[in-house]
Structures are given as C-alpha cells and as structure tokens.
Amino acid sequence: MTTIKAFIEVQAAEMVFNTRKGSFHALSKIDLQVQRGEFITLIGHSGCGKSTLLNLIAGLLRPTSGVLLCDNREISEPGPERAVVFQNHSLLPWLSCFENVYLGVESVFGKREFKPKLIERTEAALELVGMSHATHKRPHEISGGMKQRIGIARALAMQPKVLLMDEPFGALDALTRAHLQDELLKIVAATQSTVVMVTHDVDEAVLLSDRIVMMSNGPAATIGEILSVDLPRPRKRVELAESATYIAARKAVIDFLYTRHAKDSRSEVLA
C-alpha cells in the first residue's frame, strides 16, 4: 500500500531558549504532519508555544533538536515558499498598498520576470482580497481590517506553497474579524493553499480548520490532542451555528482547554 508523504513534517522537534534566567524549554517532542492543501490551526493557552512552532515552520527559528521538512526539503531558514502573515500587518507606511504588495512580488519574481508581469501579479493579489480600490492609498488611510487584507495579499502574491498566519485577526473588532474569516475561506478555496494558523479563538479554529492541533501548557509544551473537523466545504457560519458536528467540535476544544488549564493549575498548587 502506498503511503502519502506529508507536505509539512515536524519530527521530534525540541525548542530551548537561553535566557538571562537560564534555559527555557518551550517545546518538547513535537511530531506533526500536514498534508498539501490542508488547513491546520494551532490553539492553546498563552505561552504554550503556538507561535514558536509556527516560527519553526517559517524558518525564523531553528529547533534545538529534531527536523522540520517542507515538500521533503529541510527547513533551515525563511523562504518564499512559506509566507507569513503576522498579527501586526507589517506594512511599510511610506509605500502605497500597491507598492507594499509589489515589493514582495519583486523580491521573489523580479530576477526572472519583466515589470508588466510583476504588476499583473500585484494587481491580481489585490483583487483576490478585494482591495483593488485602495491601490494608491497608504496604510494610514485604510482601516485595520484593510491593512490585514493587504498583508494577506502580499503573502499570496508570492505564490507560497504554505501560508503561515499568526493570529492575523486577533487585533480586529468582532464584525471585521468575522468578515475576514469568511473572506479567508473563499481565498483558500480559490488558491488551494496549505495553511497553518495560530489562534486563541475556538470558533475561528472550528470554522476554518480541517484539523485543530491543541497544545498543552508550557514549559516543555507538546501536542495534547489533534481534532479532525469533519464539516463539508464551503462553510457558512450561519448554517454551522446549528450543526451538531460544529457544536461537538467546539465543545471538544473547550473541554480540552478547560481540563488542561485546571490540571496545570492544580499541579502548580501542589508544587
């Protein structure tokens, strides 16, 4: 029987940081496989290493031990095949929305494509996130939700194999967040992107994910459970509100988070 090779593989990854107070064991024995086109969310309490794991996949950090692979190649540094969208949009304030996206396009494709093709890629990415109307505006002239759209457009314009998102909607109001979640579902369906996303929001995780990776509390955090979300796509949040599968998945994540937090709190008291 043929075994399907995972697109992203994390094998026995450990992460220890050296601090002024000594070593801090952030992640312990992380094993994770992500298939091509899969949407994975990482969830857990603050300090459980979600962003650290994402940064390892991005190549922004090197593991203390263990191996990470993307498309069967070792992840040793950042690369254009793995685009990152942070909670802070990280747009350059002196550039227009178009120029912010174009900068990323040029860095990846500039050596092998002429300017008209680079412009075409930039315009297509802006259209994909519904921001064509803001082409000539600068970041201070648009809302927080629009800034995040531009950040997503910049990432997608580079045609990455993997889209890595670190709480991209965490700083937005509830209505804007819900709207961008719905837009992200459409974008991922259109691009067939592989996505790994950090979130604190249980409903966001269930709405977006194929699987939810639930992290134990740190230090030496690890993967506690992985929940498959067996909901058909395309997904519509209004219809999901009464879905038994959605409700069960939501309860399973909340139960894990509450049980894990209560268990760790008791351990601290006993210690």
Side-chain angles (χ1 to χ4, degrees):
M1 185 172 64
T2 303
T3 303
I4 299 175
K5 191 73 174 176
F7 189 55
I8 299 171
E9 288 190 81
V10 183
Q11 302 173 356
E14 301 269 345
M15 190 68 214
V16 179
F17 293 101
N18 293 318
T19 73
R20 284 182 289 182
K21 295 182 179 180
S23 62
F24 176 75
H25 196 171
L27 295 174
S28 175
K29 299 178 182 177
I30 301 293
D31 290 295
L32 179 65
Q33 295 187 331
V34 181
Q35 301 302 326
R36 189 186 298 271
E38 194 172 21
F39 198 124
I40 297 291
T41 52
L42 309 175
I43 196 168
H45 294 287
S46 296
C48 72
K50 303 182 297 295
S51 293
T52 299
L53 178 54
L54 194 81
N55 287 336
L56 286 171
I57 298 172
L60 298 171
L61 293 174
R62 293 293 305 273
T64 305
S65 62
V67 177
L68 290 93
L69 304 171
C70 178
D71 203 11
N72 211 32
R73 303 179 103 179
E74 184 173 0
I75 297 172
S76 58
E77 61 184 358
E81 76 280 0
R82 286 163 282 119
V84 185
V85 179
F86 297 102
Q87 183 173 351
N88 181 345
H89 52 78
S90 302
L91 301 181
L92 299 177
W94 58 89
L95 297 181
S96 68
C97 292
F98 178 91
E99 291 166 336
N100 267 284
V101 178
Y102 184 87
L103 191 65
V105 171
E106 187 178 40
S107 68
V108 176
F109 302 105
K111 291 183 179 180
R112 60 180 188 269
E113 292 183 355
F114 293 112
K115 190 169 183 177
K117 181 62 177 177
L118 303 181
I119 292 173
E120 181 184 328
R121 287 183 181 277
T122 303
E123 291 175 340
L126 287 167
E127 183 177 355
L128 185 63
V129 299
M131 288 297 293
S132 297
H133 65 283
T135 294
H136 301 296
K137 292 188 176 183
R138 285 182 167 77
H140 73 274
E141 298 177 294
I142 60 177
S143 69
M146 290 179 176
K147 290 172 187 174
Q148 280 303 75
R149 286 173 183 261
I150 298 300
I152 293 171
R154 181 175 56 190
L156 293 173
M158 295 186 287
Q159 293 189 337
K161 295 178 180 179
V162 182
L163 185 60
L164 302 170
M165 310 182 82
D166 194 353
E167 294 195 78
F169 311 137
L172 304 176
D173 64 85
L175 288 176
T176 303
R177 182 176 190 142
H179 183 63
L180 286 183
Q181 288 167 353
D182 293 339
E183 290 300 311
L184 181 59
L185 283 172
K186 295 175 185 177
I187 291 167
V188 170
T191 59
Q192 296 296 299
S193 301
T194 303
V195 184
V196 181
M197 177 176 171
V198 168
T199 183
H200 276 100
D201 189 308
V202 174
D203 290 296
E204 181 171 80
V206 178
L207 174 68
L208 299 175
S209 305
D210 294 307
R211 288 188 297 151
I212 301 171
V213 176
M214 295 176 274
M215 305 285 292
S216 70
N217 289 352
T222 190
I223 294 174
E225 294 181 23
I226 299 179
L227 176 71
S228 293
V229 182
D230 298 320
L231 291 166
R233 296 183 186 271
R235 295 177 182 174
K236 298 181 180 179
R237 70 174 63 244
V238 176
E239 295 176 1
L240 291 177
E242 297 181 355
S243 164
T245 302
Y246 179 90
I247 293 169
R250 186 177 186 277
K251 183 178 183 301
V253 177
I254 292 173
D255 286 348
F256 173 86
L257 295 174
Y258 176 80
T259 302
R260 179 67 62 174
H261 180 69
K263 184 186 296 183
D264 291 348
S265 296
R266 287 196 301 270
S267 297
E268 290 176 8
V269 171
L270 291 172

